[in-house]
Amino acid sequence: MRLDMDITLLIISMSFWMQGLLAEKNNTSVESVHFRLVGGASHCHGDLEMKRQDGNWNPVEGLNWYRKLGNRVCAELDCGSAVSVRDRNQYLVIDSWWIRPECHESELRDCFESSSSLFSSLELSCSDSVRLVHGSSLCSGRLEVRSNQSRSWSSVCEGHLDLLGAQVVCRELGCGAPGLLQGAHYGAAEAPVVQTFQCEGHESALLDCGSSGSQICSSGTAVDLTCTDPDDVRLVGGASRCNGTVQLKHHGEWRYMDNSYVTDPWTLKAADVICHRLDCGSAVSVRESRVSFRRWSISPTCLLSTSTLTDCVKTDPRTGGTTLSLTCSDSVRLVHGSSRCSGRLEVRSDQSWSSVCEEDLDLNDTQVVCRELGCGPPGLLQGGLYGEGEAPVWTSELQCEGNESAVLDCRRSSSAGKTCSPGTAAGLTCSDPGGVRLVGQPSRCAGTLEMQHQGQWRPVGDHFKLWDLKSGSAVCQHLDCGSAVSVNTTDDSTDRPVWLVSVPCVKLTSGLMDCVGLDDSYNLSSAVDVVCSDLLPQPNISLSDGVFEVYQQGFRVLVFSDFTITCSVQPQYPGGSFQLISDTEKPLNLTLPAVNHSAHFLLSAMGHAHRGNYTCVYHVDIYNRSFSSSQSPALYLTVGDSVTNLNHLGGADRPGSAHI
């Protein structure tokens, strides 16, 4: 672990926090959470406190907060939108609440744990009288206003707010200039409609504007407003605008962006959001560099679920440490795929993005695309796989040799006026550049989680015990092992290099490798053990010790003979049992203990009622749980009525035929 002062402080503080959690284990429930803001000008401004189940109010720690989380508190208090969240440093040995670093705003009520120390207080300001609801960010949505008289929220008709009024609203909400003003984009109004506003544009709050009496507007015309993001991002010091060190503008000031969060690490999935914000291609690589300037911190996880940077800027800016440098592809990207390395192919040329027809790509072309994106070799190329898209069709045909480093380095032939046939916009899936595995147990579907990143296999660290069944299930699904039945954090007391993985990212995306933290300098003793539901291999089934012959897709057995069906499984775990099941006229459901990983079922006096399919299932108790395998392939048996008929009967005794 690096000994950067900021990291050290974070580790110390989080260690105190974990000690408090282990001592008290006092999780909150939906019914027990109550918030209040104290010391401010109104109940919508002040330091955040939360009430314990015993009725006492305790302060909330200021680390790990950002506006989007604060907005949930504002909603709980029936205030407007979150305008700002700030932390005020102070160290106190006092009962307090901490928000878990992986918290998602939709689960805020379940995110708090108690602690016995406080490192900083959280100052939260909510708007008193305006809010935007049902939008893609805090700065977009349907406008609702609360008057001083009614104290209830009301919609505004589209024609009752002009550009000057929109400027006042956006300013009051801490957002940028108004961008889009229209009706019913974010749904029909549920609240009653209020008066027309007559603003001059310089007012600090909408209720400071002049207004006329209440009116009723037609359905679907409640005003929807999109304010621009007051924050911005850029890459500096690189060879192009899509390459360089990340700088974030917040509160009007450009600063480098911090890259030192253990609990919410930067991933290629989050970096991809910045690349798209800059109208570049996909995120290819991220590196870090050490700076001594003050930096802004931002939640990478928050970026995955909002369209506005200002929603995600964290409360705790840093001084010194590492900052983020990013390389985005300049001219190629995959969009609307299940991971960073899959999607509909688009190429940038003449300052715009264009789709590519499937027929214009060959293996050499796709090799170059996958290489430029930092992905593995191409796997699947299929037209329309990820939709047709709205981008125009690229008018050039690629003629790559396969060794180029970028698509635009390839030779091209012009196809002016070209269009793709429906369903042929190229969808490409490149293989993941890394790998995932579970090791240390007999089954490949159980063990310690390891990931291959930057060419190195390492265990996944989990110092703060963030992995759960949902994130573990993503691993199991990636390995085609079903879902997780057990996820545990272990500690072998010896630090070694680990990969950090963003657990919220794992829960939000199907691209597991996109969620590996980009910092390779962490040494931890913790690891993640996962047990998947499809732990056991599929058993085998075979026929022996009887008079029979191979017959089409099964076996034909002599009538009245004895025969044995053997169930077996690849050796993994000792003991267990086998279950033999049939769909015959008289169904069988027999169980025998496993001996040397097999069981032999002797069936006597073969008769016509035995005709049908037989399957085996293996059961074993391990990891304090009972596991069952999938069914074996079906073994089909039919009956011949004499030894002679075994050699001469045709296909008449298959199901549905006249002869048995």
Side-chain angles (χ1 to χ4, degrees), residues 94-114:
I94 185 176
D95 288 340
S96 64
W97 293 107
W98 284 68
I99 189 169
R100 294 201 301 269
E102 85 284 8
C103 181
H104 190 267
E105 64 274 3
S106 64
E107 303 167 346
L108 181 63
R109 282 177 168 264
D110 301 315
C111 285
F112 291 93
E113 305 284 0
S114 58

Side-chain angles (χ1 to χ4, degrees), residues 366-422:
T366 57
Q367 285 176 339
V368 176
V369 170
C370 294
R371 183 183 306 120
E372 183 174 356
L373 294 176
C375 301
L380 177 65
L381 174 65
Q382 181 178 332
L385 184 62
Y386 299 103
E388 289 302 300
E390 300 175 356
V393 175
W394 199 35
T395 58
S396 298
E397 181 179 347
L398 289 173
Q399 297 174 340
C400 301
E401 296 180 3
N403 57 0
E404 296 88 348
S405 58
V407 165
L408 294 187
D409 293 338
C410 299
R411 291 183 293 109
R412 304 187 296 275
S413 61
S414 178
S415 305
K418 182 180 181 61
T419 59
C420 292
S421 302

Side-chain angles (χ1 to χ4, degrees), residues 229 231-238 240-249 254 257 266 270-286 303 307 309 324-331 333 348 351-353:
D229 192 345
D231 294 350
D232 203 358
V233 68
R234 66 187 180 189
L235 302 178
V236 299
S240 74
R241 67 179 189 86
C242 294
N243 181 299
T245 303
V246 182
Q247 286 190 344
L248 178 69
K249 186 174 74 170
W254 286 101
M257 190 150 67
W266 275 95
D272 209 42
V273 176
I274 294 178
C275 293
H276 282 252
R277 166 95 179 205
L278 296 171
D279 198 30
C280 297
S282 302
V284 176
S285 66
V286 177
L303 285 180
S307 60
L309 292 171
L324 197 69
S325 293
L326 173 61
T327 296
C328 312
S329 58
D330 286 284
S331 55
R333 67 185 183 188
R348 183 181 174 91
Q351 307 305 310
S352 64
W353 291 96

Side-chain angles (χ1 to χ4, degrees), residues 279-307:
D279 198 30
C280 297
S282 302
V284 176
S285 66
V286 177
R287 37 194 201 286
E288 60 181 17
S289 55
R290 192 163 289 274
V291 297
S292 58
F293 309 107
R294 285 184 62 81
R295 294 162 292 149
W296 294 120
S297 301
I298 199 167
S299 166
T301 298
C302 174
L303 285 180
L304 300 179
S305 58
T306 185
S307 60

